[in-house]
Amino acid sequence: QVQLVESGGGLVQAGGSLRLSCAASGRTFRNYAMGWFRQAPGKEREFVAAVTKSGGSTVYADSVKGRFTISRDNAKNTVDLQMNSLKAEDTAIYYCAAALAFPLQRVGAYDYWGQGAQVTVSS
């Protein structure tokens, strides 16, 4: 089992940057691909970015490509999301998740979820 805890959310002005971090418990972290999703009020949870078990491959939603970067450190059991050039439409609760299945863009591929971190971008 994997427990996930996000940190680093907050309020930032449009054009600014934030870095989210997700800390995982358990010795099996390296067996899971990791993803970030987000959910804005009144909307469905949507895929943001994912990284494979080794960290060798990443995938991004078109809406964040070129602005966000996902990375993981298997020695520290962490996965981060660096968010640059933030826009008001990036405002949402951001969730970290762990997956054994594919495709990584699907919510259903993920077995474990964190509690979420609020990101608010003011315009």
Side-chain angles (χ1 to χ4, degrees):
Q1 192 167 353
V2 178
Q3 292 184 323
L4 304 171
V5 179
E6 301 95 338
S7 61
L11 173 65
V12 64
Q13 288 189 332
S17 297
L18 276 177
R19 188 177 184 90
L20 298 178
S21 186
C22 175
S25 65
R27 293 175 291 177
T28 59
F29 175 74
R30 63 182 66 242
N31 293 337
Y32 290 84
M34 298 297 297
W36 287 94
F37 286 73
R38 66 187 182 188
Q39 188 165 18
K43 294 188 176 181
E44 292 187 352
R45 192 167 297 191
E46 66 173 3
F47 171 76
V48 176
V51 59
T52 54
K53 293 185 294 184
S54 66
S57 294
T58 57
V59 59
Y60 296 91
D62 288 343
S63 59
V64 306
K65 202 172 293 183
R67 300 189 297 123
F68 291 12
T69 302
I70 188 171
S71 60
R72 68 186 294 163
D73 186 332
N74 284 345
K76 296 181 179 179
N77 281 13
T78 58
V79 57
D80 292 346
L81 186 68
Q82 177 66 43
M83 304 183 293
N84 298 329
S85 302
L86 283 161
K87 306 174 182 180
E89 51 263 44
D90 294 319
T91 296
I93 298 174
Y94 283 71
Y95 297 90
C96 167
L100 288 175
F102 290 87
L104 296 178
Q105 294 91 332
R106 284 185 61 243
V107 170
Y110 292 81
D111 302 282
Y112 301 103
W113 294 83
Q115 83 289 349
Q118 177 70 50
V119 171
T120 303
V121 184
S122 63
S123 56

